[in-house]
Amino acid sequence: MKAMFHLGRSGRAWLAAALLSVSAGWAIAQSAPAPQPAPAAAAPATGGIKGANIFEIAPDADKDPNYAQQTNGERRQVQPGNNAPMWRSVGGGVTGYSSLPYPEAGNLIQPTVQYPGSRLTTAGEAWRQVRNNWILPYGGSLLLIVAVAIGLFYFGKGTLKLHGPETGRLIERFTYVERAAHWVNAIAFVALAVSGIVMAFGQFFLLPIIGSTLFGWLTYALKNVHNFVGPLFAVSLVVVILTFVKDNLPSKHDITWLLKGGGLLGGHEVPSHRFNAGEKVLFWGGVFLFGLVVVGSGVFLDKIVPAVEYTRANMQVAHMIHATAAVVMMAMFMGHIYMGTIGMSGAYSAMKTGYVDETWAKEHHELWYDDIKAGKIPAQRTATAAAEAAQPAKA
């Protein structure tokens, strides 16, 4: 006590305050009152993974020699977001919280689903299985089979020639508007088909030849071509449907044409109107049905449909529909392109100039030719339309 008095009045005051503070702290600890909320400036809590910075949570934890042997409890302490229970929740489709303005921003892995042709697994893996195990191998095989069949037919039959001499008298088969609609749609289709084939199958036949760098640039460029040409194809497809639907309506003569295969394997074609049954099947199947399916799913994949949620599941389903319909459509149009170019003499000239010789019309579309000769259809539709427009309107 004597030593304490030697500290002086200020020293004794300081020592008394220190003892009082320690006593108060001990008393508070013993009474264990309810914890008070931490002030705003306090350090953030370390439990859980909410608000955690992934770059600050033990970025070198995997350098520990015992990293692979850590229990889930130990892993949760070292890396709160990297343990088996957490990833089981993520894999089960649990949705967390994210401030990003996207409906699935808080969902890392989709829930389990079973698409046609896939196992029961996460939706992303199920889509991959359908694409890699069904669409690519079977779609590619279909295109190759059609290409080989066309090649065998060409080398076996050659270009179909006219059996009689040309007369020099021309019939207008396609007007300027019809040809313009066809060529815009055809060019857009070829651009989409080429870009789609390279993106889907290019890794098998182009990548080993040109290398990954050039292939990457090529597919990136073609992807943009595909996305921007798609809407043009959609609009032109609707124009083509409205332009040619009248002459593609079914008739009783189509059954005979189909039963005899159009007479392509014989020496004489089966009579038909302006478009034969084969062309009508292509119109209603390839242009109307699969064309509209491809356009609808493609427009959805382009994300230009308003008031629609573009979730991963919706995009996966749209892609599977789009790819399947596109492959079938391409297979159908391969035959049409063949017959319209090297497969039949005069067919390409008809769409290029709009005119065919009377002999061509009689041999390939005899019923259409008979209607023209009977005066039911004008041989020069553009000239007739112009002449009718020039005449004064009747009172």
Side-chain angles (χ1 to χ4, degrees):
M1 292 294 292
K2 189 178 290 186
M4 179 178 175
F5 284 107
H6 283 303
L7 291 174
R9 181 175 296 178
S10 61
R12 289 195 300 272
W14 177 88
L15 182 59
L19 290 174
L20 182 61
S21 176
V22 171
S23 301
W26 180 82
I28 291 173
Q30 290 297 316
S31 60
Q36 299 298 317
T46 58
I49 61 173
K50 291 185 178 179
N53 188 337
I54 192 173
F55 297 106
E56 296 176 357
I57 302 177
D60 297 325
D62 59 338
K63 303 291 176 51
D64 189 332
N66 299 320
Y67 180 77
Q69 284 74 39
Q70 288 178 349
T71 65
N72 288 324
E74 293 171 335
R75 181 68 57 80
R76 187 171 184 179
Q77 296 298 322
V78 179
Q79 291 180 299
N82 187 21
N83 52 79
M86 184 268 187
W87 285 112
R88 275 196 295 268
S89 298
V90 172
V94 66
T95 300
Y97 169 78
S98 174
S99 60
L100 296 176
Y102 180 68
E104 291 186 304
N107 187 275
L108 297 180
I109 299 178
Q110 295 173 267
T112 57
V113 71
Q114 188 170 14
Y115 292 136
S118 76
R119 299 190 301 272
L120 180 63
T121 180
T122 59
E125 173 62 17
W127 167 81
R128 191 192 70 85
Q129 291 176 8
V130 174
R131 178 185 183 273
N132 293 351
N133 298 339
W134 293 93
I135 296 177
L136 292 187
Y138 289 99
S141 298
L142 175 63
L143 296 179
L144 285 176
I145 290 172
V146 173
V148 171
I150 291 175
L152 293 175
F153 184 84
Y154 175 74
F155 286 108
K157 294 283 292 185
T159 302
L160 299 179
K161 303 289 186 180
L162 293 176
H163 295 90
E166 293 186 350
T167 63
R169 295 184 295 272
L170 298 180
I171 297 175
E172 186 178 21
R173 180 159 173 80
F174 299 110
T175 65
Y176 176 81
V177 174
E178 292 171 338
R179 286 182 287 126
H182 173 272
W183 282 117
V184 171
N185 186 250
I187 293 172
F189 173 80
V190 171
L192 293 173
V194 171
S195 57
I197 288 174
V198 171
M199 289 189 292
F201 307 104
Q203 58 180 319
F204 305 111
F205 67 91
L206 267 183
L207 179 59
I209 298 175
I210 65 178
S212 59
T213 301
L214 183 56
F215 181 73
W217 280 102
L218 178 63
T219 51
Y220 179 77
L222 290 178
K223 172 184 175 295
N224 286 281
V225 170
H226 202 88
N227 290 341
F228 283 99
V229 174
L232 173 63
F233 176 76
V235 174
S236 62
L237 184 77
V238 174
V239 174
V240 166
I241 292 174
L242 296 177
T243 301
F244 294 104
V245 64
K246 179 181 178 181
D247 290 317
N248 278 283
L249 296 176
S251 68
K252 61 181 181 180
H253 302 284
D254 297 332
I255 299 177
T256 304
W257 194 97
L258 290 173
L259 292 176
K260 294 185 178 182
L264 292 178
L265 300 178
H268 182 72
E269 287 192 40
V270 179
S272 64
H273 287 282
R274 188 185 180 201
F275 297 117
N276 58 45
E279 292 170 315
K280 291 180 180 180
V281 169
L282 179 70
F283 177 85
W284 291 108
V287 177
F288 187 83
L289 176 60
F290 288 107
L292 292 181
V293 171
V294 167
V295 165
S297 56
V299 168
F300 186 90
L301 291 171
D302 267 343
K303 297 184 178 181
I304 56 179
V305 180
V308 174
E309 283 193 354
Y310 294 101
T311 60
R312 282 170 289 180
N314 290 341
M315 298 294 279
Q316 288 160 357
V317 173
H319 171 266
M320 291 185 289
I321 294 174
H322 184 77
T324 303
V327 167
V328 176
M329 187 180 182
M330 285 189 289
M332 296 181 70
F333 273 90
M334 287 171 67
H336 173 71
I337 294 172
Y338 165 74
M339 292 302 296
T341 52
I342 62 175
M344 178 183 291
S345 177
Y348 175 76
S349 177
M351 187 54 71
K352 179 182 178 181
T353 65
Y355 293 90
V356 296
D357 190 84
E358 283 190 356
T359 302
W360 189 96
K362 185 176 182 179
E363 287 195 11
H364 297 303
H365 299 275
E366 187 174 352
L367 298 179
W368 176 61
Y369 172 77
D370 292 341
D371 286 344
I372 292 175
K373 284 302 181 180
K376 296 179 180 179
I377 302 174
Q380 307 297 327
R381 291 190 295 148
T382 300
T384 302
E388 290 178 352
Q391 293 178 354
K394 294 182 179 180

